[in-house]
Amino acid sequence: MTGSSSWRDVIGARDRAVYEAAGYGRRLAPGTRPMMLVVDGTYGFTGRERQPIMEAIERYPNACGLLAWDAVDVIERLLPPVRALGRPVVYSAGFSRLGARGVGLWAEKHPRASRAPEDQHEIPEPIAPRDGDDVLLPKTKPSLFHGTPLLELLVRSQADTLIITGGTTSGCIRATVVDAFSYN
């Protein structure tokens, strides 16, 4: 949504009218104990350098090219205000850190992903976790909640608002947002 400020900017007038008439789209007030999740903000999704997507996927099959680097720029701007609150930032380490056995059907669905360079799990320096402050959770499924201690961490931290960002909105970020909503 580069350049957009709201979901309302990317859907048509008719659909917008339907959502609003049905009562959807109201803003919720943010809480006072936010946590930021960076889902798949790794070289596996950005590529090692800023390249168009077709060049980036030659080496990193899950790379999103220049759009991923645009996301890195935005995440970099979000980190200081979140960290100023003294809250940890939670990062995912990507799908295949545990190898083909650890990721289940993902290995069959996208076998090329398991042959990406070793640095695919590293997080670009501008948004990298801070030692001792931030949390890195390996994940094997789209949602950062699935099979990780994320929910326990959020409850223990008394998080009441999530800022969720990262690599690919259509898959892993969406799955994480759906699960976050499901857990209230």
Side-chain angles (χ1 to χ4, degrees):
M1 285 185 41
T2 302
S4 295
S5 59
S6 169
W7 61 272
R8 290 171 178 85
D9 297 337
V10 296
I11 64 169
R14 178 184 171 275
D15 290 338
R16 204 168 42 249
V18 169
Y19 289 142
E20 289 170 4
Y24 290 103
R26 293 178 307 184
R27 290 186 181 265
L28 297 176
T32 58
R33 294 178 308 276
M35 297 273 292
M36 183 169 169
L37 310 181
V38 180
V39 179
D40 299 337
T42 64
Y43 287 128
F45 290 89
T46 63
R48 192 56 134 150
E49 57 195 43
R50 293 178 190 262
Q51 295 179 308
I53 190 169
M54 294 306 287
E55 292 174 36
I57 64 173
E58 288 177 20
R59 183 161 184 218
Y60 298 90
N62 285 323
C64 299
L66 297 172
L67 291 175
W69 284 100
D70 289 347
V72 167
D73 294 340
V74 172
I75 295 166
E76 184 179 14
R77 290 194 312 267
L78 290 172
L79 287 169
V82 170
R83 287 186 169 137
L85 297 172
R87 311 287 288 168
V89 176
V90 179
Y91 294 81
S92 71
F95 270 134
S96 55
R97 179 174 284 283
L98 301 176
R101 289 190 181 129
V103 298
L105 289 176
W106 186 249
E108 291 178 42
K109 180 181 184 327
H110 191 18
R112 235 188 108 214
S114 65
R115 295 189 301 270
E118 265 309 299
D119 68 351
Q120 70 177 318
H121 306 294
E122 294 175 22
I123 297 168
E125 184 56 37
I127 62 169
R130 290 186 178 169
D131 287 339
D133 293 333
D134 297 329
V135 177
L136 183 64
L137 298 177
K139 73 180 186 72
T140 61
K141 302 296 180 203
S143 173
L144 185 50
F145 283 91
H146 186 87
T148 74
L150 177 61
L151 183 59
E152 178 185 334
L153 173 66
L154 296 173
V155 169
R156 194 171 64 244
S157 300
Q158 297 180 328
D160 59 10
T161 301
L162 293 180
I163 302 162
I164 304 175
T165 186
T168 50
T169 305
S170 65
C172 299
I173 294 172
R174 180 184 180 281
T176 301
V177 168
V178 168
D179 281 351
F181 184 83
S182 297
Y183 285 121
N184 289 318

